[in-house]
Amino acid sequence: MTYDAWVIITGSLVGITCAMIGCFLVLRKMAMLADAISHTVLLGIVGGYLVSRSLDGLSLLIGAVVVGLLTALLVQVLSGKGVQGDAAIGIVFTSLFAVGVILLSVFAGNIHLDVDHALMGEITFIPWDTVEWNGMELGPKAVWLLGFVFIVNLLIIIFFYKEFKISSFDPEMAVAIGIPVLFIHYLQMGMLSITTVASFDSVGAILVVAMLIVPASTAYLLTDKLLNMLFISAGIGVFSAISGYYMATLLNVSIAGAMATSTGVLFALAFLFSPKHGLLAKKRAQKKLSKATAKTATTNPGI
């Protein structure tokens, strides 16, 4: 495949994989926790390297899952002890991320892993870091890693779709009918952690938040059905990757940044023009209601 094709495939896999788990985060109003975990997994990545002395995907994924679950656990513990939810996220987020930055600077400064790369990512170099088998190049490592995470997330969503759906829309009912809500919560946090670390090389810790939240939020404005939301958000992720790549090529700017910007543009369009939840649709509904109220008052002046 060509260089352009590999970059677009990588960006599309990031968009799809992030959008799937992002839908459940948006429905559960946990967007800020996604922001926290997308940064704190840096500590897991550095820890995985320090333990294994390897940058292979497995050790980094394990480290990211451990720290992602630790982040969710600490936030829940602090919230349970009376600390406000947003404050708990801020405390855990900044503390663990700062530890990760310090460890990275002190013990891992001489490897292909630095703070700027972890924050911003660099998708332009992805096609050159390939997997080789029997002398044959099988494509970029990032594509294989993202593809693996995508399949894992997809299988988990398919297997636990009913539990995810009920837990997202009605947690009290989920508890009442015996669904292990706490297990579902930490399962989703694990999915978020591996998705984040798999996307690091492509979009970095900061921009992965946009990929996680914005396509799902856009889809939320366009449909009231979870299954449709999953498909629409995935489509938005792919379209953002493609349009963002060509925008970056045209303007000679950051590819990952352009992809994230594309998600923002699509959200703005949905926010304005969504047939049911858009700003213009709500204004039209308000005008109709005002006219109906005025007509009723004119017809029945004694009311």
Side-chain angles (χ1 to χ4, degrees):
M1 288 190 183
T2 64
Y3 171 87
D4 293 351
W6 281 125
V7 172
I8 290 173
I9 290 172
T10 303
S12 298
L13 283 172
V14 171
I16 294 174
T17 309
C18 289
M20 288 194 309
I21 184 62
C23 288
F24 298 103
L25 298 174
V26 169
L27 290 173
R28 297 181 62 193
K29 300 180 181 179
M30 296 174 60
M32 288 307 298
L33 186 57
D35 185 19
I37 289 180
S38 69
H39 285 75
T40 58
V41 292
L42 175 64
L43 175 59
I45 290 175
V46 178
Y49 168 75
L50 294 178
V51 170
S52 66
R53 290 295 169 180
S54 172
L55 286 175
D56 69 82
L58 182 59
S59 61
L60 303 190
L61 283 177
I62 293 173
V65 170
V66 170
V67 174
L69 294 177
L70 177 63
T71 301
L73 177 62
L74 290 176
V75 169
Q76 188 171 21
V77 169
L78 291 178
S79 299
K81 296 298 182 180
V83 180
Q84 291 184 348
D86 55 347
I89 291 174
I91 292 168
V92 175
F93 160 33
T94 53
S95 300
L96 295 184
F97 182 64
V99 172
V101 170
I102 292 173
L103 291 178
L104 179 60
S105 302
V106 174
F107 298 108
N110 60 338
I111 63 171
H112 179 58
L113 183 64
D114 55 67
V115 176
D116 290 338
H117 182 80
L119 290 175
M120 300 304 297
E122 193 47 77
I123 198 171
T124 53
F125 297 122
I126 293 299
W128 311 120
D129 188 13
T130 59
V131 174
E132 292 188 4
W133 185 71
N134 286 341
M136 296 186 300
E137 288 191 357
L138 302 179
K141 291 181 180 178
V143 172
W144 283 93
L145 180 59
L146 284 164
F148 170 75
V149 172
F150 165 69
I151 292 172
V152 169
N153 283 355
L154 181 61
L155 291 175
I156 291 174
I157 290 173
I158 291 173
F159 190 76
F160 292 101
Y161 181 77
K162 182 184 71 175
E163 289 80 0
F164 280 11
K165 183 176 182 178
I166 298 175
S167 299
S168 298
F169 288 102
D170 196 339
E172 290 78 13
M173 179 183 175
V175 173
I177 64 177
I179 292 177
V181 175
L182 194 60
F183 169 75
I184 294 297
H185 171 72
Y186 284 112
L187 178 61
Q188 290 180 348
M189 293 306 99
M191 293 168 64
L192 173 60
S193 300
I194 63 172
T195 299
T196 299
V197 73
S199 304
F200 251 59
D201 273 347
S202 304
V203 297
I206 293 176
L207 295 179
V208 75
V209 179
M211 294 295 191
L212 279 166
I213 303 304
V214 183
S217 300
T218 306
Y220 181 79
L221 294 173
L222 298 175
T223 182
D224 294 326
K225 294 183 178 180
L226 176 57
L227 188 60
N228 291 343
M229 184 179 176
L230 288 168
F231 281 110
I232 292 172
S233 63
I236 291 171
V238 173
F239 182 80
S240 298
I242 297 172
S243 59
Y245 175 75
Y246 287 109
M247 182 195 306
T249 303
L250 180 64
L251 301 177
N252 193 27
V253 295
S254 166
I255 296 175
M259 290 178 178
T261 300
S262 295
T263 65
V265 172
L266 293 174
F267 174 81
L269 292 174
F271 181 75
L272 290 173
F273 302 112
S274 172
K276 186 174 180 180
H277 301 291
L279 186 62
L280 297 181
K282 289 181 179 179
K283 285 188 175 182
R284 285 195 299 267
Q286 288 176 352
K287 286 182 179 180
K288 288 181 179 179
L289 180 61
S290 298
K291 288 181 180 179
T293 304
K295 185 177 180 180
T296 301
T298 303
T299 306
N300 304 286
I303 296 179

